[in-house]
Amino acid sequence: MALAIIGLGLNDERDITVRGLELVKNADVVFVETYTSFLQVPWSRLKEFYGKDVQFADRDVVENKAEELILKPALTKDVVLLVAGDPLSATTHTDLIARAKQHGIQVTVVHNTSVMTVVADTGLSLYKFGKIYPELNLAYNWIRKFPRTSPAPGMAAARYGHVMILVSHVDGNDWLVHDGNSGGGLTRR
């Protein structure tokens, strides 16, 4: 069974991607998270359009009760968490992904439009903010500036231009890691 964290886009219930809609339609449990971003439509329209009972997930549910209400059911059922905008715009959701992976739960992230890209409607382009400098690269600086330490689950690690989260120790120098920078956020050895 699995957890899918699905971006809803920025406008209404119809902004969900086809892939996201398929996951919702096949889900056993559906939550809508409502505190990291604002929905532009009444909650009831989500229920009607998706043909599912959509449960409300406030900050307390996502941050403090996720183990019981989201992750435990995802061990035996397909659970969906709907998020306005793009799901990885908030660290709350990356934390939930890391916790799910620690439980061995398969996680799927379905991205969608976010404020970071819609800003182009104003005439601004992300390139207008200036040239990209390698010195500002998180992984590059992490390796250069932070001292080495003994690894432990939940810690961040940097290697080859990627910052990863250590999920669990496998054997020797091998770790299971969550690498959000490659291939749709894979967890691999």
Side-chain angles (χ1 to χ4, degrees), residues 35-160:
Y35 82 93
T36 59
S37 189
F38 296 105
L39 291 172
Q40 301 298 314
V41 296
W43 184 22
S44 60
R45 281 181 41 191
L46 297 179
K47 290 181 176 188
E48 182 181 324
F49 186 78
Y50 302 142
K52 289 283 185 174
D53 180 36
V54 179
Q55 300 177 48
F56 180 72
D58 61 9
R59 182 178 200 148
D60 188 46
V61 169
V62 177
E63 291 186 353
N64 301 319
K65 298 177 181 170
E67 299 286 330
E68 175 189 342
L69 299 176
I70 298 172
L71 300 179
K72 187 176 178 184
L75 291 168
T76 59
K77 299 176 181 177
D78 288 324
V79 177
V80 164
L81 178 66
L82 301 171
V83 178
D86 186 87
L88 297 187
S89 295
T91 56
T92 296
H93 308 119
T94 55
D95 174 66
L96 186 61
I97 290 168
R99 289 190 284 159
K101 300 227 179 204
Q102 287 176 339
H103 289 288
I105 299 167
Q106 178 185 348
V107 178
T108 300
V109 176
V110 180
H111 295 280
N112 207 319
T113 307
S114 79
V115 171
M116 297 301 290
T117 54
V118 173
V119 72
D121 280 349
T122 67
L124 288 176
S125 165
L126 293 179
Y127 294 113
K128 299 262 186 206
F129 292 99
K131 181 179 171 184
I132 296 173
Y133 290 93
E135 303 84 44
L136 300 177
N137 179 287
L138 178 62
Y140 174 84
N141 280 318
W142 207 304
I143 293 169
R144 288 184 40 228
K145 296 186 179 185
F146 288 99
R148 288 183 165 264
T149 187
S150 298
M155 291 179 72
R159 186 170 186 193
Y160 304 120

Side-chain angles (χ1 to χ4, degrees), residues 97-105 151-157 164-179 186-189:
I97 290 168
R99 289 190 284 159
K101 300 227 179 204
Q102 287 176 339
H103 289 288
I105 299 167
M155 291 179 72
M164 302 160 276
I165 302 297
L166 300 176
V167 176
S168 62
H169 183 243
V170 176
D171 184 43
N173 288 328
D174 291 340
W175 282 79
L176 184 65
V177 300
H178 174 72
D179 179 2
L186 299 176
T187 297
R188 62 174 170 235
R189 189 173 175 180

